[in-house]
Every structure is written in C-alpha cells, then in structure tokens.
Amino acid sequence: NAGVMQNPRHLVRRRGQEARLRCSPMKGHSHVYWYRQLPEEGLKFMVYLQKENIIDESGMPKERFSAEFPKEGPSILRIQQVVRGDSAAYFCASSPRQGGSYNEQFFGPGTRLTVL
Amino acid sequence: TQLLEQSPQFLSIQEGENLTVYCNSSSVFSSLQWYRQEPGEGPVLLVTVVTGGEVKKLKRLTFQFGDARKDSSLHITAAQPGDTGLYLCAENTGFQKLVFGTGTRLLVSP
C-alpha cells in the first residue's frame, strides 16, 4: 500500500550539471503533478501530466526545465544546466483520475535539490 | 490570479492551548483543502471543504468554510507537540492544479 514515491530524497549538483527527479505515483493513479517549494516560500504548481501527455505546464520555467510521464516507469522532472536559484524542494503528487470535484492530490516526500 | 493569504504567519504556543489559523482569498473558492507539512516531508491532506458555512471536525481539529466561500479557518483544541508543522490551505482551481496559501508555521512546546 505504498504512497507516492520520490527519489532521490536529496540531490546535490554543481552549477551547470543536470538534475533528474523521479516520481512513482500511488498504485492506480494516472495523474501526476509537480510542485516546487523555494526556501521561505509556498508550494507553487509547475506541471500536470497524464500518461504520455503534458496537460498543463503553465508553472514551468520556459527554459532548462522539462517533464515527462512515460507509458512505463516513473514521471521524470529534468532540470538542465542547474543554477543556484534552482535549489528547492520538489514535490510530486498524484490523483486517481481527473481530480473529480475536489481534486484531492496525494504528495510524495519530496526531493531536496541543492546546487553548489 | 487567486491569492491565498494565511494568518498568522508564525505561531508559538504551549501544549494545551487552543489556536485558530485563517485562510483568506481575494475571490470565491470552488473548494478548499487544508494540509499539514512536517519538516522534511510532503504535505498531508487533512480535509476538503466545499459548501459555504460547512464545518468539519477531525479529532481536535475543526475546519470552517465561510458562508461566502472566500475564507476558511482551522481551530485546534488543546494543542499537542505532535501538531507542530506548517499548515497550508489550498484551492482547487478547477483546472487540476492546486494554488497554495502562504502557510502558518505552528510550534507547540511541551
């Protein structure tokens, strides 16, 4: 009865490197959301995906960030050429369908990215 | 753009005290959720409120949704150290993404 799983829990990268963050949704969930929590700031929506489709990426920075949710395997949030400002906690959430009336989402433990 | 303001920003109390935190919006909520986030973890859903004037109870936690659906409150009775955490309200925008409030950091000391 595993919840949303994210790995790694902690990731350290040097400026200019790539960061790959993985998210496995809860069993039976086909909708995945990524959020970012900057230090001393609230959670901000980044992207919403269904299997093999990006539905809403209105919160994603235009450059260096991409996300995918392939037919098989976890969802991946990829950050290319990381900068210090990318240091944050990245959370993945999943829901079993298109949210229903309440869009109840279940969150993973997050990946804490530190850029040196 | 919906803005969700939470107050107070920080709250430090002794075990056994009661407290209330608030979530206010610039416009009407479609539905509202409350989450608690502990250090180093992801947010955990506490409750969803949908109907104006609705009151929901979860053990020592009481959630109210304003009649006009523009505000909500969370009241904790006899707070315990285990209640320590970041309390977040969030709106379901109807477009699948959640918009989170600014959060209230609660510290309950023994």
Side-chain angles (χ1 to χ4, degrees):
Chain A
N1 192 22
V4 177
M5 302 186 67
Q6 291 188 249
N7 68 81
R9 292 291 305 271
H10 300 272
L11 183 60
V12 179
R13 285 288 178 265
R14 296 191 181 279
R15 280 179 297 169
Q17 292 184 319
E18 179 180 284
R20 278 184 180 241
L21 288 61
R22 295 175 185 77
C23 169
S24 296
M26 287 180 71
K27 187 176 180 180
H29 287 193
S30 57
H31 299 254
V32 166
Y33 314 80
W34 286 92
Y35 293 82
R36 178 165 66 175
Q37 190 171 39
L38 291 164
E40 305 307 319
E41 290 190 21
L43 278 157
K44 296 285 195 293
F45 168 81
M46 298 181 75
V47 62
Y48 162 43
L49 310 104
Q50 296 175 23
K51 286 282 187 181
E52 298 185 281
N53 284 304
I54 296 174
I55 307 302
D56 179 356
E57 56 182 348
S58 59
M60 288 273 273
K62 293 288 184 283
E63 297 177 350
R64 302 188 296 108
F65 285 72
S66 62
E68 62 177 10
F69 189 15
K71 188 176 180 182
E72 301 291 337
S75 175
I76 306 285
L77 179 66
R78 183 182 177 206
I79 311 172
Q80 294 179 290
Q81 298 176 322
V82 295
V83 300
R84 289 214 174 110
D86 296 333
S87 294
Y90 292 82
F91 292 95
C92 169
S94 71
S95 66
R97 59 190 186 283
Q98 200 166 356
S101 298
Y102 310 147
N103 193 20
E104 293 181 339
Q105 299 177 13
F106 299 86
F107 283 79
T111 294
R112 274 138 193 91
L113 173 65
T114 301
V115 180
L116 302 178
Chain B
T1 303
Q2 181 81 298
L3 294 174
L4 273 65
E5 293 289 334
Q6 290 187 242
S7 61
Q9 199 172 359
F10 301 100
L11 192 54
S12 180
I13 61 172
Q14 296 294 121
E15 183 175 3
E17 292 184 32
N18 301 331
L19 67 116
T20 303
V21 299
Y22 301 91
C23 175
N24 294 285
S25 171
S26 55
S27 53
V28 174
F29 292 114
S30 50
S31 65
L32 187 82
Q33 296 170 353
W34 283 94
Y35 290 81
R36 181 170 68 209
Q37 184 180 17
E38 298 186 15
E41 298 297 330
V44 175
L45 179 64
L46 296 174
V47 77
T48 300
V49 287
V50 180
T51 307
E54 184 175 3
V55 177
K56 283 192 174 179
K57 293 194 174 186
L58 186 66
K59 297 183 181 178
R60 294 176 293 100
L61 278 60
T62 301
F63 304 85
Q64 276 195 294
F65 201 15
D67 291 340
R69 290 165 51 215
K70 293 181 71 174
D71 59 272
S72 181
S73 65
L74 159 58
H75 182 80
I76 302 179
T77 303
Q80 299 177 0
D83 296 326
T84 293
L86 176 66
Y87 288 81
L88 295 161
C89 62
E91 189 205 9
N92 167 18
T93 62
F95 299 100
Q96 307 311 314
K97 61 188 177 188
L98 296 175
V99 175
F100 281 88
T102 49
T104 293
R105 290 195 181 277
L106 172 65
L107 173 63
V108 183
S109 302

